Amino acid sequence: MDIHYIGKRFIDLYENGGNTMFFFSPCRVNLIGEHTDYNGGYVFPCALSLGTYAAARKRNDGLMRFASGNFPKRAAADITDLSYKTEDGWANYLKGVALEFQKAGYKIGGMDIYIEGDIPNGAGLSSSASVELLMGAALNSLFNCGMDRLEMVKLCQRAENGYMGVNCGVMDQYAVGMGKTDCALLLDCGKLTHEYVPLQLKGCKLIISDTNKRRKLADSAYNTRRAECERAVRDLRAKYDINLLCELSEEAFNVDKGLIKNEVDRRRAAHAIAENARTVKAVEYLKIGDLAAFGSLMNQSHISLRDLYEVTGPELDAMAEAAWQAPGVLGSRMTGAGFGGCTVTLVKEADSDAFISHTGRQYQKHTGLSPMFYTADVGDGAKRIYN
Ligand code: GLA
């Protein structure tokens, strides 16, 4: 996909003329640090070169018109009423961001926008954050809002939480908004600061395996997990002055985990706190080029998400287990919320074809589903693109 194609589709749908701008917004994959963001911990995602493109142009009449190459239904709204409407379907993601711009005091007007993406839908690669930041970048440029990146990231998260009703943490919007080519971000979700870490993979590459088992974040056990973690914090507050689980060290947790009354909550907390420490350690290994140690922590992360946090499910487990047996694999784990979606695997480049055929065969044998494989090229965050 390129901007000539997007531009042509735009002109086919809307009349020609005016100053049309083009934007790209990636999807993301998280390498390690899962279900730690809303616990105030570390995550280690990167933006991919797969994503969503847009062509957009201002209108003078306060009307917003939305069209997508991925969904047949078009939608429109006046900027004086950007409220959520079920019948607007996918366009609600864009309207939600526009409404948040207004709430934050930015003056925006009408626009025509066409979007199209190549992100597998519902695969846990954050197509929703991609679309939100795409709209954020478009509004920011079209209406000269001068909004800084971090504000846009937070604003898009608010749109997802409040408007779309999905109680996600900040990781997805942050990675999509702040990604950088060939780097992953070590993001401290408690402080909202990040460090770019070059992905020097030395003859290895990242492959994303889509289970083709679809999940819907809003319907899943995601909110239950958040509530379990919050309950664990309340119990730990009998001794510790903390607001979020990852404020507690692994050592302190091991001494005082008995304060958490419910056994299930205790296991959830054990995952979040250990995963947080694992993430920091994994990044240290990456920095010194010890990819084998990095990969082994990826495996441990999956096992913890399977046994303690219980968000994997048969498809993700089958995919990870198939990968662990495949040639050239240094590490493999589920990525994103879980309950379906994708795994991410670090594999020797020379073995990548053998990895795909082995994993694909085994996965299909165990689940009856046909997987898809993508090479993860690491790209930039949401941005305006020029012809
Ligand atoms: C989803 C959410 C993120 C994060 C992950 C789990 O992708 O949108 O905020 O919580 O799940 O790590």
Side-chain angles (χ1 to χ4, degrees), residues 28 30 32-39 42-43 124-126 128-129 157 160-161 166-173 189 215 217 222 226 271 275 305 309 311 333-339:
R28 66 98 188 91
N30 188 21
I32 194 161
E34 216 64 84
H35 289 277
T36 44
D37 63 348
Y38 53 82
N39 286 311
Y42 286 99
V43 293
L125 300 177
S126 252
S128 54
Q157 187 200 6
E160 177 102 30
N161 292 163
V166 179
N167 203 14
C168 64
V170 75
M171 169 172 72
D172 302 345
Q173 286 77 15
C189 300
R215 43 118 217 138
L217 205 54
Y222 189 85
R226 288 194 68 147
H271 163 77
E275 179 79 355
L305 289 156
Y309 219 66
V311 292
R333 58 179 290 278
M334 60 153 267
T335 184
F339 317 108

Coordinates of all heavy atoms in Angstrom, one line a residue, residues 28 30 32-39 42-43 124-126 128-129 157 160-161 166-173 189 215 217 222 226 271 275 305 309 311 333-339, ligand 1:
R28 N 1.4 -2.5 16.7 CA 2.5 -2.7 17.6 C 2.6 -4.2 18.0 O 1.6 -4.9 17.9 CB 2.4 -1.9 18.9 CG 1.2 -2.2 19.8 CD 1.6 -3.1 20.9 NE 0.4 -3.6 21.7 CZ -0.3 -4.7 21.4 NH1 0.1 -5.5 20.4 NH2 -1.3 -5.0 22.2
N30 N 4.2 -6.4 21.3 CA 4.9 -6.3 22.6 C 5.9 -7.4 22.8 O 5.5 -8.6 22.6 CB 3.9 -6.3 23.8 CG 4.6 -5.9 25.1 OD1 5.7 -5.3 25.1 ND2 4.0 -6.3 26.2
I32 N 8.0 -8.1 25.5 CA 7.9 -8.7 26.8 C 7.3 -7.6 27.7 O 7.4 -6.4 27.5 CB 9.2 -9.3 27.3 CG1 9.1 -10.1 28.6 CG2 10.3 -8.1 27.6 CD1 10.2 -11.1 28.9
G33 N 6.7 -8.0 28.9 CA 6.1 -7.1 29.8 C 4.6 -7.1 29.5 O 4.1 -6.1 29.0
E34 N 3.9 -8.2 29.8 CA 2.5 -8.3 29.5 C 1.6 -8.2 30.7 O 1.9 -8.8 31.8 CB 2.3 -9.7 28.8 CG 1.3 -9.6 27.7 CD 1.7 -8.7 26.5 OE1 2.5 -9.2 25.6 OE2 1.3 -7.6 26.5
H35 N 0.6 -7.4 30.6 CA -0.3 -7.2 31.7 C 0.4 -6.5 32.9 O 0.1 -6.7 34.0 CB -1.1 -8.4 32.1 CG -2.1 -8.9 31.1 ND1 -3.4 -8.3 31.1 CD2 -2.0 -9.8 30.1 CE1 -4.0 -8.9 30.0 NE2 -3.2 -9.8 29.5
T36 N 1.4 -5.7 32.5 CA 2.1 -4.9 33.5 C 1.7 -3.4 33.3 O 1.9 -2.6 34.3 CB 3.6 -5.0 33.4 OG1 3.9 -5.0 32.0 CG2 4.1 -6.4 33.9
D37 N 1.2 -3.0 32.2 CA 1.0 -1.5 32.0 C 0.1 -0.9 33.0 O 0.3 0.1 33.6 CB 0.7 -1.2 30.5 CG -0.6 -1.7 29.9 OD1 -1.2 -2.6 30.6 OD2 -1.0 -1.2 28.9
Y38 N -1.1 -1.6 33.1 CA -2.1 -1.0 34.0 C -1.7 -1.3 35.5 O -2.4 -0.8 36.4 CB -3.5 -1.5 33.7 CG -3.7 -3.0 33.6 CD1 -3.8 -3.8 34.8 CD2 -3.6 -3.6 32.4 CE1 -3.9 -5.2 34.7 CE2 -3.7 -5.0 32.3 CZ -3.9 -5.8 33.4 OH -4.0 -7.1 33.4
N39 N -0.7 -2.0 35.7 CA -0.1 -2.2 37.1 C 1.1 -1.3 37.3 O 1.8 -1.5 38.3 CB 0.3 -3.7 37.3 CG -0.9 -4.6 37.4 OD1 -1.8 -4.3 38.2 ND2 -1.0 -5.7 36.7
Y42 N 6.8 -2.0 33.7 CA 7.5 -1.8 32.4 C 6.8 -2.7 31.3 O 6.4 -3.8 31.6 CB 8.9 -2.2 32.5 CG 9.8 -1.2 33.3 CD1 10.1 -1.5 34.7 CD2 10.3 -0.1 32.7 CE1 10.8 -0.6 35.4 CE2 11.0 0.8 33.4 CZ 11.3 0.6 34.7 OH 12.1 1.5 35.4
V43 N 6.9 -2.2 30.1 CA 6.5 -3.0 28.9 C 7.6 -2.7 27.9 O 8.4 -1.7 28.0 CB 5.2 -2.6 28.3 CG1 4.0 -3.0 29.3 CG2 5.1 -1.1 28.0
G124 N -4.9 -8.8 18.0 CA -4.1 -8.4 19.1 C -2.9 -7.5 18.8 O -2.0 -7.4 19.6
L125 N -2.9 -7.0 17.6 CA -1.7 -6.1 17.2 C -2.1 -4.6 17.3 O -1.4 -3.8 16.9 CB -1.2 -6.5 15.8 CG -0.8 -7.9 15.6 CD1 -0.4 -8.1 14.2 CD2 0.4 -8.2 16.5
S126 N -3.2 -4.4 17.9 CA -3.6 -3.0 18.2 C -4.1 -2.2 17.0 O -3.6 -1.1 16.8 CB -2.5 -2.3 18.9 OG -2.9 -2.1 20.2
S128 N -6.8 -0.9 16.8 CA -7.6 0.2 17.3 C -6.7 1.4 17.7 O -7.0 2.5 17.3 CB -8.5 -0.2 18.5 OG -7.7 -0.8 19.5
A129 N -5.6 1.1 18.4 CA -4.7 2.2 18.7 C -4.1 2.8 17.4 O -3.9 4.0 17.3 CB -3.5 1.7 19.6
Q157 N -5.7 7.2 24.4 CA -6.1 6.2 25.4 C -7.4 6.6 26.1 O -8.3 5.7 26.3 CB -5.0 6.1 26.5 CG -5.3 4.9 27.5 CD -4.5 5.0 28.8 OE1 -3.9 6.0 29.1 NE2 -4.7 4.0 29.6
E160 N -10.2 5.6 23.9 CA -10.4 4.1 23.9 C -11.1 3.7 25.2 O -12.1 3.0 25.2 CB -9.1 3.4 23.8 CG -9.2 1.9 23.9 CD -9.1 1.1 22.6 OE1 -8.5 1.6 21.7 OE2 -9.8 0.1 22.5
N161 N -10.7 4.3 26.3 CA -11.3 4.0 27.6 C -12.7 4.5 27.8 O -13.7 3.8 28.0 CB -10.5 4.6 28.8 CG -9.1 3.9 29.0 OD1 -8.2 4.5 29.6 ND2 -8.9 2.8 28.4
V166 N -13.3 0.5 26.3 CA -12.3 -0.6 26.5 C -11.3 -0.1 27.5 O -10.6 0.9 27.3 CB -11.7 -1.0 25.2 CG1 -10.6 -2.1 25.5 CG2 -12.7 -1.5 24.2
N167 N -11.2 -0.8 28.6 CA -10.4 -0.4 29.8 C -8.9 -0.7 29.6 O -8.4 -1.2 30.6 CB -11.0 -1.1 31.0 CG -10.7 -0.3 32.3 OD1 -10.3 0.8 32.2 ND2 -10.9 -1.0 33.4
C168 N -8.3 -0.4 28.5 CA -6.9 -0.8 28.3 C -6.0 0.1 29.0 O -6.3 1.2 29.5 CB -6.6 -0.7 26.8 SG -6.7 0.9 26.1
G169 N -4.7 -0.4 29.1 CA -3.7 0.5 29.7 C -3.1 1.4 28.6 O -3.7 1.5 27.5
V170 N -1.9 1.9 28.8 CA -1.4 3.0 27.9 C -0.4 2.4 26.9 O -0.1 3.1 25.9 CB -0.7 4.1 28.7 CG1 0.6 3.7 29.3 CG2 -0.6 5.4 27.9
M171 N -0.1 1.1 27.0 CA 1.0 0.6 26.2 C 0.7 0.7 24.6 O 1.6 1.2 23.9 CB 1.2 -0.9 26.4 CG 2.1 -1.6 25.4 SD 2.6 -3.2 25.8 CE 1.1 -4.1 25.6
D172 N -0.5 0.4 24.2 CA -0.7 0.3 22.8 C -0.6 1.7 22.1 O 0.1 1.9 21.1 CB -2.1 -0.3 22.5 CG -2.2 -1.7 23.1 OD1 -1.2 -2.2 23.4 OD2 -3.4 -2.2 23.2
Q173 N -1.3 2.7 22.7 CA -1.3 4.0 22.2 C 0.1 4.6 22.2 O 0.6 5.3 21.4 CB -2.2 4.9 22.9 CG -3.7 4.7 22.6 CD -4.3 3.5 23.3 OE1 -3.7 2.9 24.2 NE2 -5.4 3.0 22.9
C189 N 5.4 2.5 32.6 CA 4.0 3.0 32.6 C 3.6 3.7 33.8 O 2.6 4.4 33.8 CB 3.1 1.7 32.3 SG 3.4 0.9 30.8
R215 N -10.3 -12.6 19.3 CA -10.8 -12.2 20.6 C -11.3 -10.8 20.6 O -10.9 -10.0 19.7 CB -9.7 -12.4 21.6 CG -8.3 -11.8 21.1 CD -7.8 -10.8 22.0 NE -7.2 -9.8 21.2 CZ -7.3 -8.5 21.3 NH1 -8.1 -8.0 22.3 NH2 -6.7 -7.6 20.6
L217 N -11.3 -7.6 23.1 CA -10.8 -7.2 24.4 C -12.0 -6.8 25.3 O -12.0 -7.2 26.5 CB -9.9 -6.0 24.1 CG -8.9 -5.7 25.1 CD1 -8.0 -6.9 25.4 CD2 -8.0 -4.5 24.7
Y222 N -10.3 -9.5 30.5 CA -9.3 -8.4 30.7 C -9.7 -7.6 32.0 O -8.9 -7.3 32.8 CB -9.3 -7.5 29.5 CG -8.2 -6.5 29.5 CD1 -6.9 -6.8 29.1 CD2 -8.4 -5.2 29.9 CE1 -5.9 -5.8 29.1 CE2 -7.5 -4.2 29.9 CZ -6.2 -4.5 29.5 OH -5.2 -3.6 29.5
R226 N -7.9 -7.0 35.7 CA -7.6 -5.7 36.3 C -8.1 -5.6 37.7 O -7.5 -5.1 38.6 CB -8.2 -4.5 35.4 CG -7.4 -4.3 34.1 CD -7.8 -3.0 33.5 NE -7.3 -1.9 34.2 CZ -6.9 -0.8 33.7 NH1 -6.9 -0.6 32.4 NH2 -6.4 0.2 34.4
H271 N 2.3 -12.9 39.0 CA 2.7 -12.7 37.5 C 3.2 -11.3 37.3 O 4.2 -11.1 36.7 CB 1.6 -13.1 36.6 CG 1.8 -12.5 35.2 ND1 2.7 -13.1 34.3 CD2 1.4 -11.3 34.6 CE1 2.8 -12.3 33.3 NE2 2.0 -11.2 33.4
E275 N 6.8 -10.5 36.1 CA 6.9 -10.1 34.7 C 7.6 -8.7 34.6 O 8.4 -8.4 33.7 CB 5.5 -10.0 34.1 CG 5.4 -9.6 32.6 CD 5.8 -10.7 31.6 OE1 6.2 -11.8 32.1 OE2 5.7 -10.4 30.4
L305 N 2.1 -16.3 32.0 CA 0.8 -15.8 31.5 C -0.2 -17.0 31.4 O -1.4 -16.8 31.5 CB 0.9 -15.1 30.1 CG 1.6 -13.7 30.2 CD1 2.3 -13.4 28.9 CD2 0.6 -12.7 30.7
Y309 N -1.4 -16.1 35.3 CA -2.4 -15.0 34.9 C -3.5 -15.6 34.1 O -4.6 -14.9 34.0 CB -1.6 -13.9 34.1 CG -2.1 -12.5 34.4 CD1 -1.9 -12.0 35.7 CD2 -2.8 -11.8 33.5 CE1 -2.3 -10.7 36.0 CE2 -3.2 -10.5 33.8 CZ -3.0 -10.0 35.0 OH -3.5 -8.7 35.4
V311 N -4.3 -16.2 30.8 CA -4.8 -15.4 29.7 C -4.4 -16.0 28.3 O -4.6 -15.3 27.3 CB -4.5 -13.9 29.8 CG1 -5.1 -13.2 30.9 CG2 -3.0 -13.7 29.8
R333 N 6.4 -16.3 22.7 CA 5.4 -16.0 23.7 C 4.2 -15.3 23.1 O 4.2 -14.8 22.0 CB 6.0 -15.1 24.8 CG 6.5 -13.8 24.3 CD 7.0 -12.9 25.4 NE 6.0 -12.4 26.2 CZ 5.2 -11.3 25.9 NH1 5.4 -10.6 24.8 NH2 4.2 -11.0 26.7
M334 N 3.1 -15.4 23.8 CA 1.9 -14.6 23.4 C 2.2 -13.2 23.5 O 3.0 -12.7 24.3 CB 0.7 -15.0 24.2 CG 0.8 -14.7 25.7 SD -0.8 -14.4 26.5 CE -0.9 -12.6 26.4
T335 N 1.5 -12.3 22.7 CA 1.7 -10.9 22.8 C 0.3 -10.2 22.9 O -0.6 -10.7 22.2 CB 2.6 -10.4 21.6 OG1 2.8 -9.0 21.8 CG2 1.9 -10.6 20.3
G336 N 0.2 -9.1 23.6 CA -1.0 -8.4 23.7 C -1.9 -8.9 24.9 O -1.3 -9.5 25.8
A337 N -3.2 -8.7 24.8 CA -4.0 -9.1 25.9 C -4.2 -10.6 26.1 O -4.4 -11.0 27.3 CB -5.4 -8.5 25.7
G338 N -4.0 -11.4 25.1 CA -4.2 -12.8 25.2 C -5.6 -13.3 24.8 O -6.3 -12.6 24.0
F339 N -5.9 -14.5 25.2 CA -7.2 -15.1 24.9 C -7.4 -15.3 23.3 O -8.5 -15.3 22.8 CB -8.4 -14.2 25.3 CG -8.3 -13.6 26.7 CD1 -8.0 -12.3 26.9 CD2 -8.4 -14.4 27.8 CE1 -7.9 -11.7 28.1 CE2 -8.3 -13.9 29.1 CZ -8.0 -12.5 29.2
Ligands
GLA1 C1 -4.0 -5.0 25.7 C2 -4.1 -3.6 26.3 C3 -2.8 -3.1 26.8 C4 -2.1 -4.1 27.7 C5 -2.1 -5.5 27.0 C6 -1.6 -6.6 28.0 O1 -3.2 -4.9 24.5 O2 -4.7 -2.7 25.3 O3 -3.0 -1.9 27.5 O4 -2.7 -4.2 29.0 O5 -3.4 -5.9 26.6 O6 -0.2 -6.4 28.2

